[in-house]
Short mmCIF file of all heavy atoms in Angstrom, two decimals:
data_model
loop_
_atom_site.label_atom_id
_atom_site.label_comp_id
_atom_site.label_asym_id
_atom_site.label_seq_id
_atom_site.Cartn_x
_atom_site.Cartn_y
_atom_site.Cartn_z
N ARG B 1 43.00 11.96 19.11
CA ARG B 1 43.84 11.61 20.26
C ARG B 1 43.40 10.29 20.86
O ARG B 1 44.23 9.52 21.34
CB ARG B 1 43.77 12.72 21.30
CG ARG B 1 44.43 13.98 20.82
CD ARG B 1 44.26 15.09 21.85
NE ARG B 1 44.51 16.37 21.23
CZ ARG B 1 45.57 17.10 21.50
NH1 ARG B 1 46.44 16.69 22.36
NH2 ARG B 1 45.73 18.25 20.90
N TRP B 2 42.10 10.03 20.87
CA TRP B 2 41.62 8.76 21.43
C TRP B 2 42.09 7.59 20.59
O TRP B 2 42.43 6.53 21.10
CB TRP B 2 40.10 8.76 21.55
CG TRP B 2 39.62 9.70 22.60
CD1 TRP B 2 38.95 10.86 22.40
CD2 TRP B 2 39.82 9.59 24.01
NE1 TRP B 2 38.71 11.48 23.60
CE2 TRP B 2 39.23 10.71 24.60
CE3 TRP B 2 40.43 8.64 24.83
CZ2 TRP B 2 39.24 10.91 25.98
CZ3 TRP B 2 40.43 8.85 26.20
CH2 TRP B 2 39.84 9.97 26.75
N ARG B 3 42.08 7.76 19.28
CA ARG B 3 42.55 6.70 18.39
C ARG B 3 44.04 6.45 18.61
O ARG B 3 44.48 5.31 18.66
CB ARG B 3 42.27 7.10 16.93
CG ARG B 3 42.79 6.15 15.92
CD ARG B 3 41.95 4.91 15.83
NE ARG B 3 42.49 4.08 14.77
CZ ARG B 3 42.48 2.78 14.79
NH1 ARG B 3 41.90 2.14 15.77
NH2 ARG B 3 42.99 2.10 13.82
N PHE B 4 44.82 7.52 18.75
CA PHE B 4 46.25 7.38 19.01
C PHE B 4 46.50 6.66 20.33
O PHE B 4 47.32 5.76 20.42
CB PHE B 4 46.92 8.76 19.02
CG PHE B 4 48.35 8.72 19.45
CD1 PHE B 4 49.32 8.23 18.58
CD2 PHE B 4 48.74 9.15 20.70
CE1 PHE B 4 50.64 8.18 18.96
CE2 PHE B 4 50.05 9.11 21.09
CZ PHE B 4 51.01 8.61 20.22
N LEU B 5 45.74 7.04 21.38
CA LEU B 5 45.90 6.40 22.68
C LEU B 5 45.49 4.93 22.62
O LEU B 5 46.13 4.07 23.21
CB LEU B 5 45.06 7.15 23.72
CG LEU B 5 45.27 6.74 25.16
CD1 LEU B 5 46.71 6.97 25.59
CD2 LEU B 5 44.34 7.53 26.06
N SER B 6 44.44 4.64 21.86
CA SER B 6 44.00 3.26 21.71
C SER B 6 45.05 2.41 21.01
O SER B 6 45.32 1.28 21.41
CB SER B 6 42.68 3.23 20.92
OG SER B 6 42.30 1.91 20.66
N VAL B 7 45.66 2.95 19.97
CA VAL B 7 46.72 2.22 19.26
C VAL B 7 47.94 2.08 20.15
O VAL B 7 48.59 1.03 20.18
CB VAL B 7 47.06 2.94 17.93
CG1 VAL B 7 48.32 2.37 17.31
CG2 VAL B 7 45.89 2.83 16.97
N LEU B 8 48.25 3.12 20.90
CA LEU B 8 49.41 3.08 21.80
C LEU B 8 49.25 2.02 22.87
O LEU B 8 50.21 1.35 23.23
CB LEU B 8 49.59 4.46 22.44
CG LEU B 8 50.81 4.64 23.32
CD1 LEU B 8 52.08 4.60 22.47
CD2 LEU B 8 50.74 5.95 24.06
N LEU B 9 48.04 1.83 23.36
CA LEU B 9 47.80 0.85 24.42
C LEU B 9 47.39 -0.51 23.87
O LEU B 9 46.84 -1.32 24.59
CB LEU B 9 46.71 1.37 25.36
CG LEU B 9 47.07 2.63 26.12
CD1 LEU B 9 45.88 3.12 26.92
CD2 LEU B 9 48.25 2.38 27.03
N ALA B 10 47.64 -0.77 22.61
CA ALA B 10 47.40 -2.07 21.97
C ALA B 10 45.92 -2.38 21.80
O ALA B 10 45.50 -3.51 21.94
CB ALA B 10 48.11 -3.18 22.73
N GLY B 11 45.12 -1.40 21.52
CA GLY B 11 43.74 -1.67 21.15
C GLY B 11 42.74 -1.20 22.19
O GLY B 11 43.08 -0.80 23.30
N ALA B 12 41.48 -1.28 21.80
CA ALA B 12 40.41 -0.79 22.65
C ALA B 12 40.23 -1.66 23.89
O ALA B 12 39.85 -1.17 24.95
CB ALA B 12 39.11 -0.74 21.86
N GLY B 13 40.51 -2.95 23.78
CA GLY B 13 40.38 -3.84 24.94
C GLY B 13 41.32 -3.46 26.05
O GLY B 13 40.95 -3.41 27.23
N ALA B 14 42.55 -3.18 25.72
CA ALA B 14 43.53 -2.78 26.72
C ALA B 14 43.17 -1.42 27.30
O ALA B 14 43.34 -1.18 28.49
CB ALA B 14 44.93 -2.75 26.12
N PHE B 15 42.67 -0.54 26.46
CA PHE B 15 42.26 0.79 26.92
C PHE B 15 41.10 0.67 27.92
O PHE B 15 41.11 1.32 28.96
CB PHE B 15 41.87 1.65 25.73
CG PHE B 15 41.53 3.06 26.08
CD1 PHE B 15 42.49 3.91 26.57
CD2 PHE B 15 40.24 3.53 25.92
CE1 PHE B 15 42.19 5.22 26.89
CE2 PHE B 15 39.93 4.83 26.23
CZ PHE B 15 40.90 5.68 26.72
N GLY B 16 40.13 -0.17 27.61
CA GLY B 16 39.01 -0.39 28.52
C GLY B 16 39.45 -1.02 29.82
O GLY B 16 38.96 -0.67 30.90
N GLY B 17 40.37 -1.98 29.74
CA GLY B 17 40.88 -2.62 30.94
C GLY B 17 41.63 -1.65 31.83
O GLY B 17 41.49 -1.69 33.07
N MET B 18 42.43 -0.77 31.22
CA MET B 18 43.16 0.22 32.00
C MET B 18 42.22 1.22 32.66
O MET B 18 42.42 1.61 33.81
CB MET B 18 44.15 0.96 31.11
CG MET B 18 45.55 0.44 31.21
SD MET B 18 46.62 1.38 30.15
CE MET B 18 47.49 2.31 31.37
N ALA B 19 41.19 1.62 31.94
CA ALA B 19 40.23 2.56 32.50
C ALA B 19 39.48 1.92 33.67
O ALA B 19 39.28 2.55 34.71
CB ALA B 19 39.25 3.02 31.42
N THR B 20 39.10 0.65 33.52
CA THR B 20 38.41 -0.06 34.59
C THR B 20 39.30 -0.21 35.81
O THR B 20 38.87 -0.01 36.95
CB THR B 20 37.94 -1.44 34.09
OG1 THR B 20 37.13 -1.25 32.93
CG2 THR B 20 37.17 -2.18 35.15
N ALA B 21 40.55 -0.57 35.60
CA ALA B 21 41.48 -0.74 36.72
C ALA B 21 41.72 0.60 37.43
O ALA B 21 41.82 0.64 38.66
CB ALA B 21 42.80 -1.31 36.22
N ALA B 22 41.80 1.68 36.67
CA ALA B 22 42.00 2.99 37.28
C ALA B 22 40.80 3.38 38.13
O ALA B 22 40.95 3.87 39.26
CB ALA B 22 42.25 4.04 36.20
N LEU B 23 39.60 3.17 37.61
CA LEU B 23 38.40 3.50 38.38
C LEU B 23 38.27 2.62 39.61
O LEU B 23 37.88 3.09 40.69
CB LEU B 23 37.16 3.38 37.50
CG LEU B 23 37.01 4.46 36.45
CD1 LEU B 23 35.81 4.18 35.56
CD2 LEU B 23 36.88 5.82 37.09
N ALA B 24 38.61 1.33 39.49
CA ALA B 24 38.56 0.43 40.65
C ALA B 24 39.57 0.87 41.69
O ALA B 24 39.29 0.84 42.90
CB ALA B 24 38.83 -1.00 40.20
N GLY B 25 40.75 1.30 41.28
CA GLY B 25 41.76 1.77 42.23
C GLY B 25 41.31 3.01 42.97
O GLY B 25 41.52 3.12 44.18
N VAL B 26 40.69 3.93 42.26
CA VAL B 26 40.18 5.13 42.92
C VAL B 26 39.08 4.77 43.89
O VAL B 26 39.04 5.26 45.03
CB VAL B 26 39.68 6.16 41.86
CG1 VAL B 26 38.90 7.28 42.51
CG2 VAL B 26 40.85 6.70 41.08
N TRP B 27 38.18 3.88 43.49
CA TRP B 27 37.06 3.49 44.36
C TRP B 27 37.57 2.77 45.61
O TRP B 27 37.16 3.09 46.73
CB TRP B 27 36.10 2.60 43.58
CG TRP B 27 34.96 2.09 44.42
CD1 TRP B 27 34.03 2.84 45.07
CD2 TRP B 27 34.66 0.73 44.70
NE1 TRP B 27 33.15 2.02 45.74
CE2 TRP B 27 33.51 0.72 45.52
CE3 TRP B 27 35.22 -0.48 44.32
CZ2 TRP B 27 32.95 -0.45 45.98
CZ3 TRP B 27 34.64 -1.64 44.77
CH2 TRP B 27 33.53 -1.63 45.59
N ILE B 28 38.49 1.83 45.45
CA ILE B 28 39.01 1.09 46.61
C ILE B 28 39.80 2.05 47.51
O ILE B 28 39.75 1.95 48.73
CB ILE B 28 39.88 -0.10 46.14
CG1 ILE B 28 38.99 -1.16 45.50
CG2 ILE B 28 40.68 -0.69 47.29
CD1 ILE B 28 39.76 -2.26 44.81
N GLY B 29 40.53 2.96 46.90
CA GLY B 29 41.30 3.91 47.70
C GLY B 29 40.42 4.86 48.50
O GLY B 29 40.76 5.23 49.62
N MET B 30 39.30 5.25 47.96
CA MET B 30 38.42 6.17 48.67
C MET B 30 37.52 5.44 49.67
O MET B 30 37.27 5.94 50.76
CB MET B 30 37.55 6.94 47.67
CG MET B 30 38.34 7.87 46.76
SD MET B 30 39.26 9.12 47.63
CE MET B 30 37.95 10.24 48.04
N ALA B 31 37.02 4.26 49.31
CA ALA B 31 36.08 3.54 50.18
C ALA B 31 36.80 2.78 51.29
O ALA B 31 36.30 2.72 52.42
CB ALA B 31 35.26 2.56 49.34
N GLU B 32 37.95 2.23 51.02
CA GLU B 32 38.75 1.41 51.92
C GLU B 32 37.87 0.41 52.69
O GLU B 32 37.43 0.66 53.80
CB GLU B 32 39.55 2.26 52.90
CG GLU B 32 40.57 1.44 53.63
CD GLU B 32 41.46 2.26 54.54
OE1 GLU B 32 41.18 3.42 54.79
OE2 GLU B 32 42.46 1.69 54.98
N PRO B 33 37.62 -0.74 52.07
CA PRO B 33 36.80 -1.77 52.72
C PRO B 33 37.41 -2.21 54.06
O PRO B 33 38.61 -2.12 54.27
CB PRO B 33 36.81 -2.92 51.72
CG PRO B 33 37.30 -2.34 50.44
CD PRO B 33 38.09 -1.14 50.78
N ALA B 34 36.55 -2.70 54.95
CA ALA B 34 36.98 -3.09 56.30
C ALA B 34 38.10 -4.14 56.29
O ALA B 34 39.08 -4.00 57.03
CB ALA B 34 35.79 -3.56 57.10
N PRO B 35 38.00 -5.22 55.50
CA PRO B 35 39.11 -6.20 55.51
C PRO B 35 40.43 -5.58 55.06
O PRO B 35 41.49 -5.91 55.59
CB PRO B 35 38.66 -7.27 54.53
CG PRO B 35 37.20 -7.15 54.46
CD PRO B 35 36.89 -5.70 54.69
N LEU B 36 40.37 -4.65 54.15
CA LEU B 36 41.58 -4.00 53.68
C LEU B 36 42.14 -3.07 54.76
O LEU B 36 43.36 -2.95 54.92
CB LEU B 36 41.30 -3.22 52.40
CG LEU B 36 42.51 -2.61 51.70
CD1 LEU B 36 43.50 -3.69 51.31
CD2 LEU B 36 42.08 -1.82 50.50
N ALA B 37 41.27 -2.46 55.53
CA ALA B 37 41.72 -1.59 56.63
C ALA B 37 42.46 -2.40 57.68
O ALA B 37 43.46 -1.95 58.23
CB ALA B 37 40.54 -0.86 57.24
N ALA B 38 42.00 -3.62 57.94
CA ALA B 38 42.68 -4.48 58.92
C ALA B 38 44.07 -4.87 58.43
O ALA B 38 45.03 -4.88 59.20
CB ALA B 38 41.84 -5.72 59.18
N VAL B 39 44.19 -5.17 57.16
CA VAL B 39 45.49 -5.53 56.59
C VAL B 39 46.42 -4.32 56.63
O VAL B 39 47.60 -4.43 56.98
CB VAL B 39 45.33 -6.06 55.15
CG1 VAL B 39 46.67 -6.23 54.47
CG2 VAL B 39 44.56 -7.36 55.15
N THR B 40 45.89 -3.16 56.32
CA THR B 40 46.70 -1.94 56.34
C THR B 40 47.20 -1.64 57.74
O THR B 40 48.35 -1.27 57.94
CB THR B 40 45.88 -0.75 55.81
OG1 THR B 40 45.39 -1.06 54.52
CG2 THR B 40 46.70 0.51 55.74
N GLU B 41 46.33 -1.83 58.76
CA GLU B 41 46.73 -1.60 60.15
C GLU B 41 47.81 -2.58 60.59
O GLU B 41 48.69 -2.24 61.37
CB GLU B 41 45.52 -1.72 61.07
CG GLU B 41 44.94 -0.39 61.43
CD GLU B 41 43.80 -0.55 62.41
OE1 GLU B 41 43.96 -1.27 63.43
OE2 GLU B 41 42.76 0.04 62.15
N ALA B 42 47.75 -3.82 60.08
CA ALA B 42 48.76 -4.82 60.45
C ALA B 42 50.13 -4.43 59.90
O ALA B 42 51.15 -4.61 60.58
CB ALA B 42 48.34 -6.18 59.94
N PHE B 43 50.17 -3.92 58.72
CA PHE B 43 51.45 -3.58 58.11
C PHE B 43 51.93 -2.17 58.49
O PHE B 43 53.12 -1.92 58.60
CB PHE B 43 51.38 -3.69 56.58
CG PHE B 43 51.37 -5.11 56.10
CD1 PHE B 43 50.24 -5.66 55.52
CD2 PHE B 43 52.50 -5.90 56.23
CE1 PHE B 43 50.24 -6.97 55.09
CE2 PHE B 43 52.50 -7.21 55.80
CZ PHE B 43 51.37 -7.75 55.22
N LEU B 44 51.00 -1.25 58.65
CA LEU B 44 51.35 0.14 58.97
C LEU B 44 50.58 0.58 60.22
O LEU B 44 49.51 1.16 60.13
CB LEU B 44 50.99 1.05 57.80
CG LEU B 44 51.66 0.77 56.47
CD1 LEU B 44 51.02 1.58 55.37
CD2 LEU B 44 53.14 1.07 56.55
#
């Protein structure tokens, strides 16, 4: 299944990039840095 997913996502590089972006999104969403909180308050 990992090989199929790797081929589907155009190789191991794209798979690694997607995994990194997903983990960064989860981290930023849970930690919510102070500058990001200020921007969020301005819009919402």
Side-chain angles (χ1 to χ4, degrees):
R1 292 176 198 250
W2 290 111
R3 176 75 177 147
F4 173 74
L5 189 61
S6 175
V7 169
L8 185 68
L9 296 175
F15 184 66
M18 261 181 107
T20 304
L23 289 175
V26 168
W27 177 60
I28 290 170
M30 295 300 283
E32 192 175 12
L36 186 60
V39 171
T40 304
E41 262 184 48
F43 286 111
L44 300 169

